[in-house]
Amino acid sequence: MADVMTICPYCGTGCSMSLSVTDNKIIDINGDPTHPVSEGELCLKGMYGFKHVADPGRLTTPLMRRGDSFVAVDWDTALDAIADQLGVIKKESGPDAFAVFSSARATNEENYVAQKFARAVLGTNSVDHCARLCHAPTTVGLTMTLGDGAMTNSIPELGDVSDLIFIIGSNTAECHPLIAKHVLKAKARGAKLIVADPRMTDMANKADLWLRIPLGHDIPLINAMLHVIIKEGLQNTDFIRDHSNGFDDLARAVEDYSPERVSQMTGVPATDIAAAGRAFATAKAAATLYAMGVTQFSCGTGNVVSIANLAVVTGQIGRPGAGVCPLRGQSNVQGACDLGALPNVYPGGRPITSEPDRLRFEEAWGVALSPKVGVKITEIPAAILAGKVRAIIVDGENPMMSDPNTQHFAHALEKLDLLVVIDLFMTETARRAHIVLPAGGWGEKDGTFTNTERRVQRVRPAVLAPGEAKADWWIFKALAERMGYQGMAYDRPKDIWDEVRRMAPTAYAGMTYERLETTHGLCSPCPAEDHPGTPVLHAGGLFHTPSGKAALKPVLFHPISVPEEERKAFDAPIIGHIAERPDNEYPFMLTTGRRVYHYHTGTMTRRAPLLEQIGPEELIEINPADANALFVRDRQYIKINTRRGSVIAKAWVTERVPPGVVFSTFHFWEASSNEETNADNLDPLSGIPEYKVSAAQVTKSSAADAQASVAAKREYYRQDVETAAIVEMRAHAAASA
Amino acid sequence: MNRFVIADPKLCIGCYTCEVGCVEVHVKVGLVGIPRLTVTHTVAGTMPMQCRHCDDAPCEQVCPVKAITFEDRSIQLNESVCIGCKMCALACPFGVITPYGALPQGETSMTYGGFLQPTPAPVTETPVHALLAWTVGQRTVAVKCDLCHFLPEGPECIRVCPTNALRLVDEETVITSNAERRAASVEAIATGDGLALHHPGL
Ligand code: SF4
Ligand code: SF4
Ligand code: SF4
């Protein structure tokens, strides 16, 4: 038996864990008491969510589609077929006919190779990943205002230093349990907790002050807080003068947002809004935590910019415990962004439109690079339907379930000439692919992850990948070689990392594998080998914006539409509204999110029997008042219907949601809320869809209807194709043995 | 005095890690694989509920076959002796006995593969009482917290809870905590805080 130290594959907290391994099998997982974030603890996903590694459904050979099913083939056959077809499409339609979906759960090294493959081998900047669907507004909004699109502080500072924690749009207890623990630690020290959330999450329940704003009303709330702060002279005048631009415009913009007016708009008492503003401004160190409840709106970037405005005006930034903390959802989503798996930036966050940067990458990679910004994931379905994108490589994502408006997405996939999926399992997306490649997964791979506080940590292999499964970087390298590109002569992840350190030196030059080996990771940026890493960004009020100062921006909001005169009063304000509002036909608002016991589309956690037992099925939260009106009792079936699709699942009658709102998740193909979400109302600045609000109908349903609905979804998501593929792979393994 | 495990709702974040830990260790020793504590969300707060190991236990008194007994400063339920009559579940004032259709020893009670499968349709859609709804073909037994008596290191839920919200209360805890409270009360009165007593908790 051996113990292997690695990092949890699930949320962005980045807890450290030790895997006990016997006979090439992970048998037990324990926390790491020396780790500064997790301090020996793990949540249930970290501790019990590892059974997928040895699951009999793991992909063990490449598979090629034949008719409605798949045949197992060897690597040469699969790779040759892909390379040939990519070559033909490139000749016919040019490099922008390709798109690559990279993965927030692949390592930094693999993300680097994936984006390099897209840019240097395929010749397109159309490489993106699921951050588009979660924290794209963070990247855009914080870069615009503060110069860096990342969490400004380290997690332990929350527990040790912050004396006010403002959580807005983050269900921290369920989505980042070990960060919630640091919030509790702060509370035990006497720190105050203010939570703004339409749902009564467990954080809201623990708050000293809970502001139950309606869905999507973050901008008016923060504007009203700023209104009070400025009116009462609580702003940090020195900080504003020395370290920011644009204060006068912002002050003028928030003048209209008196707590009284916003109270009318939101139903939150004006005194509570004022109290929140005062407490935030007068705290010694205030940190704002936020997540999808801020970003997944058609004004997601506006919401993020508001949060940055609040931090800068009060000077609550650039010090330990004071800052802006976007909580990132996936184990390596920060890394995937930093390593350039985005259509507009190179590794290290340099824009592809910057000539000197492009030249530097052209020289290093030995090819000419496209200066054209690529297509975002959320624009892909339209690009396919318009005939612009013809081939997609999906590396470790399951967009059939994670992307909005499933039907529309599935319809687009049908039009592709080539869909290649690299994954651990025959996912809902893989079942629609032409070629499926088996990947090595967490527990089998070597490399690094970057957690939400920018801590780059080593992930280590504990067991061998099953069958012929290969690491993602190996797959991209093999494809690149077949397509005639020689610039990927890597033997192991360390070779890739050393190239990353050369190509993005300000962020990573100081992070050698040797250093990462002997520390609990280092927070980027870490530009030199004697540099300790950077737990606190913007120390001393230094911002990486062109002016070196934070850029304050007016953000205006009206639930329906901001009046023309209000817009015209400012130079380029950010505007927010709710795109799809309830009406007579669709009187409810559906909002979406996650539950603690499952992870995203469930490809991993639903293969952990212990987790599946605790969360075996979708539960739709509905307020008791609404349930009574519909004659629905707790755990009876209800049907949610939007303009795009419908699901049937059991009701959880609970005060967690306010009247008029229902909440559901995308963990279960049997009832995936993404069949109902909206792919059309994108945030114009970041391209994120408005997952958090869809107008919906809610009706009472029955067990019989639920059963019929599951049967239909089984067909729709091609559950049987997975079974057939597993049989095929077993036969292949037996034949070659 | 019997011992029992209890959560502090101020620390519990409703993460269900305790429930999973509970299932895992019981399955390993061949007991029914369902959680013996249930995370319960209310407007006032969230915490798991489990057996209080009452010293004059109503469940023990009503059990017709003596499946529930007083042992080692706790109330233990023998799943093999239990006839599934559900009397104890009705008698328990905390609602922490779960009648459950048991599967063969050592198997987890549910497997993945889609909902509606793991929880088969109940006999009737609207039973007279929720406790009386069960599935044909499986023997139902009563399941409750047994303080993980088979684990030398004590209850697994306490070990795995990431926020240390759970603890074991025994005679010693009560003695210490009472002493602390008495001292705090004296201090409060002596320093002129009057009757503003502190409650450092158990
Ligand atoms: S908090 Fe996140 S990183 Fe930590 S164990 Fe849970 S899922 Fe894993
Ligand atoms: S493990 Fe702890 S925090 Fe989580 S639900 Fe159980 S008692 Fe609450
Ligand atoms: S099961 Fe209920 S009645 Fe029996 S000892 Fe426990 S708390 Fe008391």
Side-chain angles (χ1 to χ4, degrees):
Chain A
M1 193 164 107
D3 284 343
V4 177
M5 297 300 290
T6 190
I7 300 300
C8 174
Y10 294 108
C11 86
T13 308
C15 298
S16 166
M17 48 174 52
S18 94
L19 316 184
S20 315
V21 181
T22 305
D23 293 339
N24 197 39
K25 243 193 176 148
I26 302 170
I27 50 162
D28 196 17
I29 292 190
N30 282 293
D32 169 5
T34 62
H35 193 258
V37 177
S38 52
E39 300 174 317
E41 307 292 346
L42 297 170
C43 81
L44 76 173
K45 289 191 290 287
M47 200 161 353
Y48 305 105
F50 60 89
K51 284 275 160 64
H52 70 278
V53 174
D55 190 272
R58 280 290 298 274
L59 297 174
T60 53
T61 75
L63 294 164
M64 285 174 78
R65 179 136 107 207
R66 188 180 291 157
D68 273 345
S69 60
F70 286 88
V71 287
V73 296
D74 57 29
W75 275 101
D76 283 335
T77 315
L79 292 172
D80 286 344
I82 299 170
D84 283 353
Q85 214 171 337
L86 291 176
V88 171
I89 294 173
K90 191 170 186 175
K91 210 170 284 162
E92 287 172 3
S93 310
D96 287 327
F98 302 122
V100 175
F101 288 25
S102 193
S103 173
R105 272 185 282 175
T107 61
N108 283 323
E109 290 74 4
E110 286 162 343
N111 272 288
Y112 179 83
V113 173
Q115 62 84 35
K116 184 173 176 181
F117 180 81
R119 296 194 157 105
V121 183
L122 297 178
T124 179
N125 285 308
S126 294
V127 53
D128 204 356
H129 69 285
C130 62
R132 182 66 52 210
L133 309 167
C134 68
H135 269 297
T138 295
T139 317
V140 176
L142 293 188
T143 308
M144 185 155 73
T145 50
L146 309 177
D148 276 297
M151 179 159 167
T152 58
N153 299 71
S154 70
I155 298 166
E157 289 167 42
L158 302 174
D160 296 340
V161 188
S162 307
D163 66 341
L164 184 124
I165 295 179
F166 177 38
I167 302 183
I168 178 164
S170 155
N171 182 0
T172 322
E174 288 204 60
C175 300
H176 301 87
L178 270 292
I179 297 182
K181 187 181 178 184
H182 285 273
V183 175
L184 295 183
K185 208 168 155 187
K187 278 206 80 183
R189 257 194 307 110
K192 291 281 172 271
L193 174 63
I194 301 177
V195 174
D197 205 303
R199 286 175 71 221
M200 189 186 68
T201 62
D202 276 304
M203 289 334 270
N205 222 327
K206 293 193 163 37
D208 297 290
L209 180 59
W210 172 34
L211 310 163
R212 190 171 215 177
I213 51 171
L215 292 173
H217 284 58
D218 311 57
I219 297 170
L221 172 71
I222 294 178
N223 278 355
M225 287 166 70
L226 281 166
H227 177 103
V228 173
I229 290 167
I230 296 172
K231 197 149 183 207
E232 300 185 2
L234 300 173
Q235 73 271 35
N236 189 330
T237 318
D238 294 347
F239 193 87
I240 296 170
R241 185 193 56 230
D242 298 341
H243 303 295
S244 78
N245 291 319
F247 177 72
D248 293 344
D249 254 10
L250 176 65
R252 201 155 53 83
V254 300
E255 234 164 70
D256 269 350
Y257 293 79
S258 68
E260 292 71 28
R261 185 180 152 230
V262 171
S263 174
Q264 267 181 4
M265 195 192 279
T266 59
V268 179
T271 44
D272 285 357
I273 301 177
R278 278 180 214 122
F280 192 93
T282 53
K284 285 197 210 75
T288 307
L289 272 50
Y290 74 89
M292 299 314 71
V294 155
T295 56
Q296 287 179 334
F297 288 98
S298 60
C299 53
T301 306
N303 293 346
V304 170
V305 169
S306 296
I307 290 171
N309 284 344
L310 180 65
V312 172
V313 166
T314 52
Q316 299 286 15
I317 192 160
R319 285 176 284 122
V324 176
C325 306
L327 305 182
R328 317 230 41 180
Q330 309 220 40
S331 49
N332 195 36
V333 63
Q334 186 66 47
C337 290
D338 294 345
L339 271 300
L342 294 171
N344 59 338
V345 288
Y346 290 124
R350 300 302 307 163
I352 57 158
T353 44
S354 137
E355 179 98 21
D357 286 296
R358 190 168 60 250
L359 291 175
R360 191 162 64 82
F361 279 93
E362 285 186 346
E363 191 183 343
W365 293 348
V367 284
L369 296 173
S370 162
K372 208 169 113 204
V373 172
V375 180
K376 304 182 183 83
I377 278 190
T378 42
E379 298 164 345
I380 289 280
I384 299 172
L385 295 173
K388 289 192 192 124
V389 167
R390 295 180 55 196
I392 297 187
I393 301 179
V394 177
D395 177 23
E397 288 206 348
N398 189 11
M400 259 298 283
M401 274 182 71
S402 59
D403 288 28
N405 196 351
T406 313
Q407 281 225 359
H408 179 63
F409 189 84
H411 174 66
L413 288 188
E414 295 300 318
K415 297 269 178 309
L416 284 173
D417 290 293
L418 178 65
L419 175 61
V420 179
V421 171
I422 305 170
D423 213 306
L424 312 186
F425 296 101
M426 199 60 167
T427 62
E428 285 74 9
T429 311
R431 288 168 217 152
R432 291 172 187 264
H434 300 99
I435 300 181
V436 182
L437 303 175
W442 170 87
E444 296 154 359
K445 296 193 299 197
D446 198 10
T448 56
F449 279 167
T450 308
N451 77 349
T452 186
E453 42 161 13
R454 296 167 281 107
R455 189 187 298 272
V456 179
Q457 315 188 79
R458 289 277 283 117
V459 291
R460 299 183 182 87
V463 295
L464 299 172
E468 299 163 27
K470 296 281 188 199
D472 314 43
W473 64 266
W474 181 94
I475 299 173
F476 281 114
K477 174 189 163 184
L479 269 178
E481 279 167 0
R482 274 182 172 70
M483 297 184 71
Y485 181 70
Q486 297 308 328
M488 289 199 187
Y490 314 118
D491 290 328
R492 53 204 168 133
K494 184 177 181 297
D495 302 344
I496 307 168
W497 186 247
D498 288 336
E499 181 173 321
V500 169
R501 290 174 47 228
R502 280 197 305 279
M503 296 312 296
T506 13
Y508 305 117
M511 295 186 194
T512 60
Y513 262 28
E514 290 73 26
R515 279 187 83 190
L516 295 176
E517 211 61 62
T518 52
T519 55
H520 280 297
L522 292 160
C523 291
S524 74
C526 177
E529 285 189 37
D530 56 359
H531 190 285
T534 314
V536 182
L537 285 183
H538 317 305
L542 278 182
F543 295 94
H544 291 131
T545 50
S547 63
K549 292 184 174 186
L552 296 169
K553 271 207 183 321
V555 190
L556 312 174
F557 179 91
H558 188 284
I560 301 166
S561 168
V562 176
E564 200 50 42
E565 353 28 298
E566 197 182 334
R567 298 174 189 228
K568 276 205 266 176
F570 301 96
D571 178 30
I574 302 179
I575 313 281
H577 75 298
I578 304 287
E580 194 182 66
R581 297 174 48 73
D583 51 26
N584 286 339
E585 203 185 340
Y586 294 90
F588 280 84
M589 283 188 277
L590 165 73
T591 190
T592 63
R594 296 197 272 153
R595 295 225 184 272
V596 67
Y597 35 69
H598 276 306
Y599 196 76
H600 291 190
T601 68
T603 44
M604 289 150 73
T605 52
R606 293 200 72 194
R607 287 178 168 87
L610 286 167
L611 299 183
E612 180 72 354
Q613 173 177 352
I614 300 298
E617 63 184 308
E618 176 65 3
L619 290 176
I620 300 173
E621 292 177 13
I622 180 168
N623 186 274
D626 295 328
N628 278 341
L630 293 166
F631 301 103
V632 169
R633 284 193 288 158
D634 193 46
R635 284 1 184 222
Q636 286 185 335
Y637 287 99
I638 54 174
K639 178 176 182 177
I640 310 287
N641 193 24
T642 72
R643 291 185 173 84
R644 293 154 295 273
S646 69
V647 304
I648 300 178
K650 282 186 189 155
W652 175 3
V653 178
T654 168
E655 308 274 357
R656 284 161 69 93
V657 282
V661 173
V662 285
F663 170 88
S664 78
T665 77
F666 60 115
H667 299 316
F668 303 91
W669 60 262
E670 296 92 333
S672 162
S673 61
N674 276 335
E675 291 185 33
E676 308 162 304
T677 49
N678 204 328
D680 301 330
N681 301 314
L682 303 183
D683 172 19
L685 295 163
S686 68
I688 198 166
E690 190 151 279
Y691 281 108
K692 287 290 188 256
V693 197
S694 308
Q697 295 164 343
V698 180
T699 46
K700 188 172 174 156
S701 186
S702 66
D705 286 348
Q707 229 136 5
S709 162
V710 169
K713 311 264 184 211
R714 179 177 294 280
E715 188 124 326
Y716 183 66
Y717 288 109
R718 304 187 181 171
Q719 294 294 321
D720 299 342
V721 172
E722 173 168 26
T723 321
I726 294 169
V727 172
E728 172 69 24
M729 285 184 304
R730 292 218 177 109
H732 180 87
S736 52
Chain B
M1 193 198 110
N2 283 354
R3 302 161 297 150
F4 63 100
V5 177
I6 194 154
D8 179 350
K10 283 203 208 69
L11 292 177
C12 174
I13 55 172
C15 74
Y16 295 83
T17 309
C18 49
E19 282 199 17
V20 184
C22 181
V23 176
E24 194 195 31
V25 294
H26 285 88
V27 164
K28 268 191 194 150
V29 296
L31 292 165
V32 172
I34 61 157
R36 279 141 177 82
L37 70 181
T38 313
V39 177
T40 305
H41 302 262
T42 72
V43 173
T46 296
M47 64 184 254
M49 283 294 295
Q50 65 276 69
C51 172
R52 294 286 165 79
H53 296 269
C54 310
D55 273 88
D56 187 8
C59 59
E60 183 205 2
Q61 290 167 19
V62 298
C63 179
V65 293
K66 302 248 171 300
I68 302 180
T69 52
F70 170 80
E71 263 169 68
D72 187 22
R73 291 183 299 144
S74 65
I75 299 294
Q76 295 294 340
L77 191 157
N78 187 327
E79 291 168 10
S80 305
V81 174
C82 172
I83 56 167
C85 76
K86 300 171 272 295
M87 284 305 287
C88 56
L90 294 167
C92 171
F94 300 100
V96 291
I97 294 194
T98 316
Y100 188 78
L103 288 176
Q105 286 217 335
E107 259 181 50
T108 39
S109 32
M110 297 172 186
T111 47
Y112 65 85
F115 86 115
L116 294 180
Q117 274 176 318
T119 14
V123 184
T124 51
E125 232 185 274
T126 41
V128 186
H129 189 282
L131 288 176
L132 302 179
W134 213 252
T135 316
V136 195
Q138 291 182 354
R139 188 170 83 92
T140 292
V141 295
V143 185
K144 74 167 202 68
C145 163
D146 54 11
L147 296 179
C148 300
H149 62 84
F150 46 85
L151 291 181
E153 58 276 25
E156 178 74 352
C157 54
I158 299 180
R159 186 182 78 84
V160 299
C161 171
T163 62
N164 304 326
L166 290 158
R167 71 209 127 131
L168 184 73
V169 177
D170 56 14
E171 210 146 336
E172 206 179 310
T173 334
V174 174
I175 291 171
T176 327
S177 140
N178 275 353
E180 272 170 24
R181 285 183 184 197
R182 284 194 296 267
S185 306
V186 172
E187 261 171 46
I189 295 167
T191 54
D193 266 4
L195 291 177
L197 300 184
H198 299 280
H199 290 280
L202 267 178

